[in-house]
Short mmCIF file of all heavy atoms in Angstrom, two decimals:
data_model
loop_
_atom_site.label_atom_id
_atom_site.label_comp_id
_atom_site.label_asym_id
_atom_site.label_seq_id
_atom_site.Cartn_x
_atom_site.Cartn_y
_atom_site.Cartn_z
N LEU A 1 4.83 7.41 -6.51
CA LEU A 1 5.24 6.44 -5.49
C LEU A 1 5.49 5.06 -6.09
O LEU A 1 5.81 4.11 -5.36
CB LEU A 1 4.18 6.34 -4.39
CG LEU A 1 4.07 7.58 -3.49
CD1 LEU A 1 2.79 7.54 -2.67
CD2 LEU A 1 5.28 7.69 -2.58
N ASP A 2 5.31 4.95 -7.40
CA ASP A 2 5.61 3.72 -8.15
C ASP A 2 4.72 2.55 -7.72
O ASP A 2 5.20 1.42 -7.54
CB ASP A 2 7.09 3.34 -7.99
CG ASP A 2 7.56 2.38 -9.09
OD1 ASP A 2 6.97 2.39 -10.18
OD2 ASP A 2 8.52 1.62 -8.83
N LEU A 3 3.43 2.82 -7.58
CA LEU A 3 2.50 1.74 -7.25
C LEU A 3 2.48 0.73 -8.37
O LEU A 3 2.33 1.07 -9.54
CB LEU A 3 1.10 2.31 -7.03
CG LEU A 3 0.09 1.31 -6.45
CD1 LEU A 3 0.32 1.13 -4.96
CD2 LEU A 3 -1.35 1.75 -6.72
N LYS A 4 2.61 -0.55 -8.01
CA LYS A 4 2.66 -1.64 -8.97
C LYS A 4 1.39 -2.49 -8.89
O LYS A 4 0.72 -2.52 -7.85
CB LYS A 4 3.88 -2.52 -8.69
CG LYS A 4 5.22 -1.84 -8.92
CD LYS A 4 5.52 -1.70 -10.39
CE LYS A 4 7.00 -1.46 -10.68
NZ LYS A 4 7.52 -0.21 -10.12
N PRO A 5 1.05 -3.21 -9.98
CA PRO A 5 -0.09 -4.12 -9.91
C PRO A 5 0.06 -5.11 -8.75
O PRO A 5 1.14 -5.68 -8.54
CB PRO A 5 -0.02 -4.85 -11.27
CG PRO A 5 0.62 -3.85 -12.18
CD PRO A 5 1.64 -3.15 -11.33
N GLY A 6 -1.00 -5.27 -8.00
CA GLY A 6 -0.99 -6.16 -6.84
C GLY A 6 -0.63 -5.47 -5.54
O GLY A 6 -0.87 -6.02 -4.46
N ASP A 7 -0.06 -4.26 -5.61
CA ASP A 7 0.23 -3.52 -4.39
C ASP A 7 -1.08 -3.09 -3.72
O ASP A 7 -2.05 -2.75 -4.41
CB ASP A 7 1.06 -2.27 -4.68
CG ASP A 7 2.50 -2.59 -5.04
OD1 ASP A 7 2.93 -3.73 -4.82
OD2 ASP A 7 3.21 -1.68 -5.52
N GLU A 8 -1.07 -3.08 -2.41
CA GLU A 8 -2.28 -2.73 -1.66
C GLU A 8 -2.20 -1.29 -1.13
O GLU A 8 -1.14 -0.86 -0.67
CB GLU A 8 -2.47 -3.70 -0.50
CG GLU A 8 -2.69 -5.13 -0.94
CD GLU A 8 -2.73 -6.13 0.19
OE1 GLU A 8 -2.46 -5.73 1.35
OE2 GLU A 8 -3.01 -7.33 -0.07
N VAL A 9 -3.32 -0.62 -1.19
CA VAL A 9 -3.44 0.73 -0.62
C VAL A 9 -4.62 0.72 0.34
O VAL A 9 -5.75 0.40 -0.06
CB VAL A 9 -3.65 1.79 -1.71
CG1 VAL A 9 -3.80 3.18 -1.07
CG2 VAL A 9 -2.50 1.78 -2.71
N ILE A 10 -4.36 1.07 1.58
CA ILE A 10 -5.42 1.08 2.59
C ILE A 10 -6.15 2.42 2.53
O ILE A 10 -5.53 3.48 2.58
CB ILE A 10 -4.83 0.85 4.00
CG1 ILE A 10 -4.22 -0.55 4.08
CG2 ILE A 10 -5.90 1.04 5.07
CD1 ILE A 10 -3.47 -0.81 5.36
N THR A 11 -7.47 2.34 2.42
CA THR A 11 -8.27 3.57 2.37
C THR A 11 -9.65 3.27 2.95
O THR A 11 -9.86 2.24 3.59
CB THR A 11 -8.33 4.12 0.93
OG1 THR A 11 -8.94 5.41 0.95
CG2 THR A 11 -9.08 3.20 -0.01
N THR A 12 -10.58 4.18 2.73
CA THR A 12 -11.92 4.07 3.30
C THR A 12 -12.94 3.66 2.24
O THR A 12 -12.82 4.05 1.08
CB THR A 12 -12.33 5.42 3.92
OG1 THR A 12 -13.73 5.41 4.24
CG2 THR A 12 -12.08 6.57 2.95
N PRO A 13 -13.96 2.91 2.63
CA PRO A 13 -15.02 2.58 1.68
C PRO A 13 -16.02 3.72 1.51
O PRO A 13 -16.80 3.72 0.56
CB PRO A 13 -15.71 1.37 2.31
CG PRO A 13 -15.48 1.52 3.78
CD PRO A 13 -14.14 2.19 3.92
N PHE A 14 -15.97 4.71 2.42
CA PHE A 14 -16.98 5.78 2.42
C PHE A 14 -16.36 7.04 1.85
O PHE A 14 -15.84 7.89 2.58
CB PHE A 14 -17.51 6.00 3.83
CG PHE A 14 -18.80 6.78 3.86
CD1 PHE A 14 -19.95 6.24 3.30
CD2 PHE A 14 -18.86 8.03 4.43
CE1 PHE A 14 -21.15 6.95 3.31
CE2 PHE A 14 -20.04 8.75 4.45
CZ PHE A 14 -21.19 8.21 3.89
N THR A 15 -16.39 7.15 0.53
CA THR A 15 -15.71 8.23 -0.19
C THR A 15 -16.25 8.29 -1.60
O THR A 15 -17.01 7.40 -2.04
CB THR A 15 -14.19 7.98 -0.21
OG1 THR A 15 -13.53 9.07 -0.87
CG2 THR A 15 -13.84 6.69 -0.93
N PHE A 16 -15.87 9.34 -2.33
CA PHE A 16 -16.18 9.39 -3.75
C PHE A 16 -15.33 8.35 -4.48
O PHE A 16 -14.21 8.03 -4.06
CB PHE A 16 -15.90 10.80 -4.29
CG PHE A 16 -16.23 10.96 -5.74
CD1 PHE A 16 -17.52 10.77 -6.20
CD2 PHE A 16 -15.24 11.28 -6.66
CE1 PHE A 16 -17.83 10.92 -7.55
CE2 PHE A 16 -15.54 11.43 -8.01
CZ PHE A 16 -16.83 11.24 -8.45
N ALA A 17 -15.83 7.87 -5.60
CA ALA A 17 -15.20 6.76 -6.31
C ALA A 17 -13.76 7.03 -6.70
O ALA A 17 -12.95 6.09 -6.80
CB ALA A 17 -16.01 6.42 -7.56
N ALA A 18 -13.39 8.30 -6.92
CA ALA A 18 -12.03 8.61 -7.39
C ALA A 18 -10.95 8.05 -6.46
O ALA A 18 -9.89 7.64 -6.92
CB ALA A 18 -11.86 10.12 -7.52
N THR A 19 -11.22 8.01 -5.16
CA THR A 19 -10.23 7.52 -4.20
C THR A 19 -9.82 6.09 -4.53
O THR A 19 -8.63 5.75 -4.51
CB THR A 19 -10.79 7.59 -2.77
OG1 THR A 19 -11.30 8.90 -2.52
CG2 THR A 19 -9.74 7.23 -1.75
N VAL A 20 -10.80 5.26 -4.81
CA VAL A 20 -10.55 3.85 -5.11
C VAL A 20 -10.22 3.67 -6.60
O VAL A 20 -9.42 2.81 -6.97
CB VAL A 20 -11.78 3.01 -4.71
CG1 VAL A 20 -11.65 1.57 -5.18
CG2 VAL A 20 -11.97 3.05 -3.19
N GLU A 21 -10.82 4.48 -7.42
CA GLU A 21 -10.62 4.39 -8.87
C GLU A 21 -9.15 4.46 -9.27
O GLU A 21 -8.68 3.67 -10.10
CB GLU A 21 -11.39 5.53 -9.52
CG GLU A 21 -11.29 5.64 -11.03
CD GLU A 21 -12.09 6.84 -11.52
OE1 GLU A 21 -11.87 7.97 -11.01
OE2 GLU A 21 -12.94 6.65 -12.41
N VAL A 22 -8.41 5.41 -8.69
CA VAL A 22 -7.01 5.59 -9.10
C VAL A 22 -6.15 4.40 -8.69
O VAL A 22 -5.19 4.04 -9.39
CB VAL A 22 -6.43 6.90 -8.52
CG1 VAL A 22 -7.12 8.10 -9.14
CG2 VAL A 22 -6.53 6.96 -6.99
N ILE A 23 -6.49 3.77 -7.58
CA ILE A 23 -5.76 2.56 -7.17
C ILE A 23 -6.01 1.45 -8.19
O ILE A 23 -5.07 0.79 -8.65
CB ILE A 23 -6.22 2.11 -5.76
CG1 ILE A 23 -5.97 3.21 -4.74
CG2 ILE A 23 -5.52 0.81 -5.34
CD1 ILE A 23 -6.66 2.97 -3.39
N ALA A 24 -7.28 1.27 -8.55
CA ALA A 24 -7.63 0.22 -9.50
C ALA A 24 -7.03 0.47 -10.88
O ALA A 24 -6.60 -0.47 -11.56
CB ALA A 24 -9.15 0.12 -9.60
N LEU A 25 -6.97 1.73 -11.31
CA LEU A 25 -6.42 2.05 -12.62
C LEU A 25 -4.96 1.62 -12.75
O LEU A 25 -4.49 1.28 -13.84
CB LEU A 25 -6.53 3.55 -12.89
CG LEU A 25 -7.91 4.06 -13.31
CD1 LEU A 25 -7.93 5.59 -13.32
CD2 LEU A 25 -8.31 3.51 -14.68
N LEU A 26 -4.24 1.62 -11.64
CA LEU A 26 -2.83 1.22 -11.66
C LEU A 26 -2.64 -0.26 -11.31
O LEU A 26 -1.51 -0.72 -11.16
CB LEU A 26 -2.03 2.08 -10.68
CG LEU A 26 -1.98 3.58 -11.04
CD1 LEU A 26 -1.26 4.37 -9.95
CD2 LEU A 26 -1.29 3.80 -12.38
N GLY A 27 -3.74 -0.98 -11.19
CA GLY A 27 -3.66 -2.41 -10.90
C GLY A 27 -3.49 -2.71 -9.43
O GLY A 27 -3.22 -3.86 -9.06
N GLY A 28 -3.64 -1.70 -8.59
CA GLY A 28 -3.51 -1.92 -7.15
C GLY A 28 -4.76 -2.51 -6.54
O GLY A 28 -5.80 -2.65 -7.20
N VAL A 29 -4.66 -2.87 -5.28
CA VAL A 29 -5.77 -3.48 -4.55
C VAL A 29 -6.23 -2.51 -3.47
O VAL A 29 -5.48 -2.23 -2.52
CB VAL A 29 -5.36 -4.82 -3.91
CG1 VAL A 29 -6.52 -5.43 -3.13
CG2 VAL A 29 -4.85 -5.79 -4.98
N PRO A 30 -7.44 -1.98 -3.56
CA PRO A 30 -7.96 -1.14 -2.48
C PRO A 30 -8.32 -2.01 -1.27
O PRO A 30 -9.10 -2.96 -1.39
CB PRO A 30 -9.21 -0.50 -3.09
CG PRO A 30 -9.13 -0.76 -4.56
CD PRO A 30 -8.36 -2.04 -4.71
N VAL A 31 -7.73 -1.69 -0.13
CA VAL A 31 -8.04 -2.37 1.12
C VAL A 31 -8.83 -1.40 1.97
O VAL A 31 -8.32 -0.35 2.37
CB VAL A 31 -6.75 -2.83 1.83
CG1 VAL A 31 -7.08 -3.49 3.17
CG2 VAL A 31 -5.96 -3.78 0.94
N LEU A 32 -10.09 -1.72 2.22
CA LEU A 32 -11.02 -0.76 2.80
C LEU A 32 -11.22 -1.00 4.29
O LEU A 32 -11.63 -2.09 4.71
CB LEU A 32 -12.37 -0.84 2.07
CG LEU A 32 -12.29 -0.72 0.55
CD1 LEU A 32 -13.69 -0.79 -0.05
CD2 LEU A 32 -11.60 0.57 0.13
N VAL A 33 -10.93 0.03 5.08
CA VAL A 33 -11.09 0.00 6.54
C VAL A 33 -12.28 0.88 6.90
O VAL A 33 -12.41 2.00 6.41
CB VAL A 33 -9.80 0.50 7.23
CG1 VAL A 33 -10.02 0.66 8.73
CG2 VAL A 33 -8.66 -0.47 6.97
N ASP A 34 -13.13 0.38 7.78
CA ASP A 34 -14.38 1.06 8.08
C ASP A 34 -14.17 2.41 8.76
O ASP A 34 -13.06 2.77 9.16
CB ASP A 34 -15.27 0.17 8.95
CG ASP A 34 -16.76 0.37 8.65
OD1 ASP A 34 -17.11 1.32 7.93
OD2 ASP A 34 -17.57 -0.45 9.15
N ILE A 35 -15.25 3.15 8.92
CA ILE A 35 -15.22 4.55 9.34
C ILE A 35 -15.60 4.73 10.81
O ILE A 35 -16.15 3.84 11.44
CB ILE A 35 -16.17 5.39 8.47
CG1 ILE A 35 -17.61 4.87 8.59
CG2 ILE A 35 -15.70 5.39 7.03
CD1 ILE A 35 -18.66 5.73 7.91
N GLU A 36 -15.30 5.92 11.32
CA GLU A 36 -15.81 6.35 12.62
C GLU A 36 -17.28 6.73 12.45
O GLU A 36 -17.62 7.43 11.49
CB GLU A 36 -15.03 7.55 13.13
CG GLU A 36 -13.55 7.28 13.33
CD GLU A 36 -12.75 8.55 13.59
OE1 GLU A 36 -13.19 9.64 13.13
OE2 GLU A 36 -11.69 8.46 14.22
N PRO A 37 -18.15 6.33 13.36
CA PRO A 37 -19.57 6.60 13.15
C PRO A 37 -19.97 8.06 13.27
O PRO A 37 -20.98 8.48 12.70
CB PRO A 37 -20.24 5.76 14.25
CG PRO A 37 -19.19 5.60 15.30
CD PRO A 37 -17.89 5.52 14.57
N ASP A 38 -19.15 8.86 13.95
CA ASP A 38 -19.55 10.25 14.17
C ASP A 38 -18.92 11.23 13.19
O ASP A 38 -19.48 12.29 12.90
CB ASP A 38 -19.23 10.69 15.61
CG ASP A 38 -17.77 10.56 15.95
OD1 ASP A 38 -17.06 9.75 15.29
OD2 ASP A 38 -17.31 11.24 16.89
N THR A 39 -17.74 10.91 12.63
CA THR A 39 -17.09 11.81 11.67
C THR A 39 -17.19 11.28 10.23
O THR A 39 -17.03 12.05 9.28
CB THR A 39 -15.60 11.99 11.98
OG1 THR A 39 -14.92 10.75 11.74
CG2 THR A 39 -15.38 12.43 13.43
N CYS A 40 -17.40 9.99 10.08
CA CYS A 40 -17.41 9.29 8.79
C CYS A 40 -16.01 9.23 8.16
O CYS A 40 -15.88 8.81 7.00
CB CYS A 40 -18.40 9.91 7.81
SG CYS A 40 -20.12 9.57 8.24
N ASN A 41 -14.98 9.63 8.89
CA ASN A 41 -13.60 9.45 8.42
C ASN A 41 -13.12 8.04 8.75
O ASN A 41 -13.66 7.37 9.65
CB ASN A 41 -12.67 10.47 9.08
CG ASN A 41 -12.65 11.80 8.35
OD1 ASN A 41 -12.78 11.84 7.14
ND2 ASN A 41 -12.48 12.88 9.09
N ILE A 42 -12.08 7.61 8.06
CA ILE A 42 -11.51 6.29 8.31
C ILE A 42 -11.14 6.15 9.78
O ILE A 42 -10.66 7.10 10.41
CB ILE A 42 -10.27 6.05 7.41
CG1 ILE A 42 -9.81 4.60 7.47
CG2 ILE A 42 -9.15 7.03 7.72
CD1 ILE A 42 -8.75 4.25 6.41
N ASP A 43 -11.40 4.98 10.36
CA ASP A 43 -11.10 4.73 11.77
C ASP A 43 -9.66 4.23 11.88
O ASP A 43 -9.35 3.08 11.55
CB ASP A 43 -12.07 3.70 12.33
CG ASP A 43 -12.03 3.62 13.85
OD1 ASP A 43 -10.95 3.89 14.43
OD2 ASP A 43 -13.06 3.30 14.47
N ALA A 44 -8.79 5.11 12.34
CA ALA A 44 -7.35 4.79 12.39
C ALA A 44 -7.06 3.59 13.27
O ALA A 44 -6.05 2.91 13.08
CB ALA A 44 -6.57 6.01 12.88
N ARG A 45 -7.93 3.30 14.23
CA ARG A 45 -7.69 2.18 15.15
C ARG A 45 -7.67 0.83 14.43
O ARG A 45 -7.12 -0.14 14.96
CB ARG A 45 -8.77 2.16 16.24
CG ARG A 45 -8.76 3.38 17.15
CD ARG A 45 -9.96 3.37 18.06
NE ARG A 45 -11.21 3.36 17.30
CZ ARG A 45 -12.42 3.24 17.85
NH1 ARG A 45 -12.54 3.10 19.17
NH2 ARG A 45 -13.51 3.24 17.09
N HIS A 46 -8.27 0.76 13.25
CA HIS A 46 -8.38 -0.52 12.54
C HIS A 46 -7.40 -0.65 11.38
O HIS A 46 -7.38 -1.68 10.69
CB HIS A 46 -9.81 -0.70 12.02
CG HIS A 46 -10.86 -0.63 13.09
ND1 HIS A 46 -10.73 -1.30 14.28
CD2 HIS A 46 -12.04 0.05 13.14
CE1 HIS A 46 -11.80 -1.05 15.03
NE2 HIS A 46 -12.60 -0.23 14.37
#
């Protein structure tokens, strides 16, 4: 997808490190949106 340094990727803070790691390795910025309390998946509403 040609992620460039400084590009932002929205994801969840509640995950294994690899999710955020790959963004950081390419110089991207992980933007973390909180989770649903009952499923622990990212809360799409936010």
Side-chain angles (χ1 to χ4, degrees):
L1 290 166
D2 199 26
L3 190 78
K4 294 286 199 297
D7 287 347
E8 297 173 354
V9 179
I10 296 173
T11 189
T12 169
F14 196 65
T15 182
F16 182 61
T19 308
V20 172
E21 178 181 53
V22 293
I23 301 168
L25 282 171
L26 296 176
V29 179
V31 178
L32 307 181
V33 172
D34 213 349
I35 59 173
E36 299 169 333
D38 59 337
T39 68
C40 288
N41 275 327
I42 190 170
D43 193 330
R45 296 172 301 174
H46 303 314

